[in-house]
Amino acid sequence: MQVRTVLLVPLIALAAACTPRQPPAPRPTIFIPAAPVEDNAEMASRALMSWEEGVVLGRQARWGEASEAYRRAAELDPGEVRYHMALADALLQGGREWESADALMAGIRAEEAKPNPNHRVLGVDYERLIRLLTRLNRLDEARTARARQEHHRRLRDAAPPRE
């Protein structure tokens, strides 16, 4: 009797493994209403509130919390240059230089994306970025930033004075 049982158990397992499986039963469709989409004005308002919170925290030298508030503001309104620049400053004050360089680059890109960027300010911002990238040994990015800085200096010199 034992011989038959020993042979029968592996055969049953083999048969079960070779039997084609049925596809799982379809799950019932559950309707989940979409979250209401925030309009741009509401997002801009929330971004401004986060930025103001970051300013208060920065004045208290609470750089970690300030950087999180500035990061929220920059995520809510990525086209606003001051949010990225404030984030870069808070990260730099908190000793997070690598992230600060990235935030500074994002702020520069936001300024460059404007219809009429301020080339004078971009020249200064690029200088800060070049120094930071050089200190971090991100030399290829520093060279690229130097070329972009020269481009903006040429545009600054060619443009009529701003009022």
Side-chain angles (χ1 to χ4, degrees), residues 2 14 20 40 43 45 59 73 84 89 96 109 112 117 123 161-162:
Q2 282 187 338
L14 181 61
N40 289 340
M43 288 179 69
S45 174
R59 287 183 181 148
H84 295 285
D89 289 339
R96 296 161 63 183
R109 279 190 230 105
E112 287 176 329
R162 287 181 169 240

Side-chain angles (χ1 to χ4, degrees), residues 81-82 84-86 88-89 100-101 103-112 114 117-133 145-146 148-149 152-153 156:
V81 177
R82 66 183 163 167
H84 295 285
M85 294 305 182
D89 289 339
S100 176
L104 187 54
M105 275 193 274
I108 288 171
R109 279 190 230 105
E111 178 67 32
E112 287 176 329
K114 288 183 174 181
N118 188 332
H119 301 292
R120 187 173 310 280
V121 169
L122 282 168
V124 173
D125 289 339
Y126 267 116
E127 187 61 38
R128 286 179 57 202
L129 179 63
I130 291 164
R131 287 184 184 152
L132 186 54
L133 291 172
R146 177 71 65 198
R148 294 292 303 158
Q149 180 189 39
H152 286 290
R153 284 183 175 169
R156 175 201 65 197

Side-chain angles (χ1 to χ4, degrees), residues 52-66 70:
E52 290 171 345
E53 177 187 350
V55 169
V56 170
L57 292 165
R59 287 183 181 148
Q60 298 170 3
R62 294 165 57 185
W63 301 115
E65 295 169 76
Y70 291 139

